[in-house]
Amino acid sequence: MLQLIRNALEQENVAVWQIRKTETRRAELYFIKKKLDIPRLAVMNEYQVSVYRDFEENGQKYRGMSVMYAEEGQTEKQIREKVRNAYFAAQYVKNPYYDLPDPVREAKQESKSDLAGRDLQETANAFADAVLDVPDDGEAFVNSLEIFAIRSEVTLVSSAGTNVCYETNKVEGEFVTQCVRPVDVEQYRQFAYDSFDTQALKDKVASAVADVRMRANATDMPKTGKHDILLTGENLKIFFEYYLIRANASVIFPGYSTWKTGDRVQEAGTGEKLNIDLLATEPYSVDGVPMKDMVLTEDGVLRNIWGATRFMRYLNETPTGSYEKIRVKNGTVPFEQMKTEGTLETVSFSDFQMDYFTGNFGGEMRLALMKKDGKDIPLYGGSVNAKISDCADRLVFSTERYEDSGYSGPYAVLIPGVAVAGE
């Protein structure tokens, strides 16, 4: 199929191109409560073809680009038509000219994940067993579960001579917890891991079952006013992505962010210093740039910007590729010590959001815990609203950590003086 696409590109006189083939194998498990409803094995090949067209107008050089997709079983005629249409469309994409990545030719890169080499079906079963091992008393339980063990082999070839291949592995899915008394409530959770960490999923599910039980027993809303809040778990990736996005060349080049290397992006204060790393989850970016881990912020100072080839070239920076995982350095305070009298632990939101342009963050709480007289009082409803620049110098991080495929860092962050709208 790769040769068929290359022939079509040559016949349509496309001089600059890149093909990204992704062969994906998936073991899928679908459960209703603890009963396996549907097991499935799936194999899919996807061919993403980037077609470039160089042209000039009024003395200005442009490099237009269009993307097309080819599928197994398509004829050479069908592929040539797609190539022709993509090349035609590329002339209307007036990107100022930029150089593509230098070509790379290397042997296949083996996955460094401990998921590599494991049978996909056995991996999916192991993660399912971890969930099914969580106690079920018939009142609070997991009422549905979907698990996907995924292995992908990616091949990149280009007109410049790039020819690389690598493998990725991950496990992802979703589940719904339910508590039927005293009121019937449900909560939805997602998960994703790039390592064989069944215990992490088991802990996540056990915590979610306990949370849905507390939500069913919550009768009061939090009081309106300023509260110290504890943001935990999966919401922290969204919170810290503010720094990831603001340092992206595609945001800096058009002026949406004014950050540059060496800027202090966290004012000096009494809180933890921001030490954030960007983690390369694949050896090459989508446009063939070799990727490696790099420092994003060091003690609150921006050390690197990052981004895809086009925008990094426009900024006269070396392309880094695009990052999807961050690592935040450990904190100083155990989680239980952070839960002081009056602190509001935001367990789950209907939709926690961060505005990456203004720094405003918040959402409606589905469950929160208020420490009162040494006990955790479950609350529901109300919302939190704050701005990251108003609190970033006073954050406190837990010593405990949280891991998933997009975030490695403190399990909890204490944010002081956040506005809470409640009763």
Side-chain angles (χ1 to χ4, degrees), residues 134-199:
V134 175
D136 177 353
D137 62 3
E139 184 174 285
F141 49 86
V142 176
N143 77 2
S144 64
L145 167 68
E146 298 180 7
I147 291 179
F148 313 112
I150 305 169
R151 177 169 297 132
S152 296
E153 183 174 284
V154 179
T155 301
L156 285 173
V157 295
S158 78
S159 55
T162 289
N163 192 334
V164 296
C165 182
Y166 63 92
E167 180 183 285
T168 64
N169 292 270
K170 62 181 177 180
V171 175
E172 62 186 25
E174 58 189 47
F175 62 93
V176 176
T177 55
Q178 181 178 5
C179 186
V180 295
R181 285 185 293 274
V183 293
D184 194 344
V185 296
E186 293 182 350
Q187 291 194 325
Y188 169 81
R189 297 289 178 89
Q190 293 178 307
F191 59 88
Y193 301 101
D194 50 18
S195 64
F196 192 77
D197 197 347
T198 56
Q199 186 62 46

Side-chain angles (χ1 to χ4, degrees), residues 66-279:
S66 183
V67 175
M68 53 153 284
Y69 293 88
E71 301 172 5
E72 294 285 356
Q74 289 184 322
T75 65
E76 184 173 339
K77 180 180 178 181
Q78 290 172 318
I79 295 172
R80 283 191 64 178
E81 183 177 1
K82 285 191 172 186
V83 169
R84 189 181 307 119
N85 290 338
Y87 192 61
F88 178 81
Q91 68 183 311
Y92 297 106
V93 181
K94 295 185 178 181
N95 294 325
Y97 182 87
Y98 60 97
D99 290 327
L100 295 175
D102 295 332
V104 181
R105 297 180 66 90
E106 292 184 354
K108 181 179 177 180
Q109 301 289 304
E110 299 298 335
S111 174
K112 297 179 181 179
S113 169
D114 58 0
L115 291 167
R118 295 178 181 268
D119 180 81
L120 288 175
Q121 189 69 58
E122 292 178 1
T123 296
N125 288 337
F127 276 84
D129 289 343
V131 176
L132 300 178
D133 196 39
V134 175
D136 177 353
D137 62 3
E139 184 174 285
F141 49 86
V142 176
N143 77 2
S144 64
L145 167 68
E146 298 180 7
I147 291 179
F148 313 112
I150 305 169
R151 177 169 297 132
S152 296
E153 183 174 284
V154 179
T155 301
L156 285 173
V157 295
S158 78
S159 55
T162 289
N163 192 334
V164 296
C165 182
Y166 63 92
E167 180 183 285
T168 64
N169 292 270
K170 62 181 177 180
V171 175
E172 62 186 25
E174 58 189 47
F175 62 93
V176 176
T177 55
Q178 181 178 5
C179 186
V180 295
R181 285 185 293 274
V183 293
D184 194 344
V185 296
E186 293 182 350
Q187 291 194 325
Y188 169 81
R189 297 289 178 89
Q190 293 178 307
F191 59 88
Y193 301 101
D194 50 18
S195 64
F196 192 77
D197 197 347
T198 56
Q199 186 62 46
L201 179 57
K202 183 177 179 179
D203 293 344
K204 184 182 184 76
V205 172
S207 177
V209 171
D211 292 346
V212 79
R213 188 192 303 276
M214 287 188 288
R215 170 61 186 87
N217 285 277
T219 58
D220 297 322
M221 293 179 65
K223 300 294 184 182
T224 296
K226 291 290 185 76
H227 295 270
D228 293 348
I229 70 167
L230 276 169
L231 195 64
T232 59
E234 58 198 30
N235 296 312
L236 290 176
K237 180 178 187 292
I238 299 172
F239 180 80
F240 285 114
E241 270 187 340
Y242 172 78
Y243 298 96
L244 178 75
I245 301 301
R246 298 285 291 182
N248 188 339
S250 67
V251 178
I252 294 172
F253 176 72
Y256 301 126
S257 170
T258 59
W259 287 7
K260 60 185 182 296
T261 302
D263 281 357
R264 175 162 290 282
V265 296
Q266 177 198 34
E267 296 302 320
T270 59
E272 311 272 6
K273 298 296 186 291
L274 281 177
N275 290 287
I276 305 174
D277 296 330
L278 304 178
L279 302 183

Side-chain angles (χ1 to χ4, degrees), residues 26-31 36-42 121 125 147:
R26 299 163 57 102
E28 305 176 355
L29 300 177
Y30 301 84
F31 288 84
L36 179 61
D37 184 43
I38 301 174
R40 185 162 60 193
L41 292 172
Q121 189 69 58
N125 288 337
I147 291 179

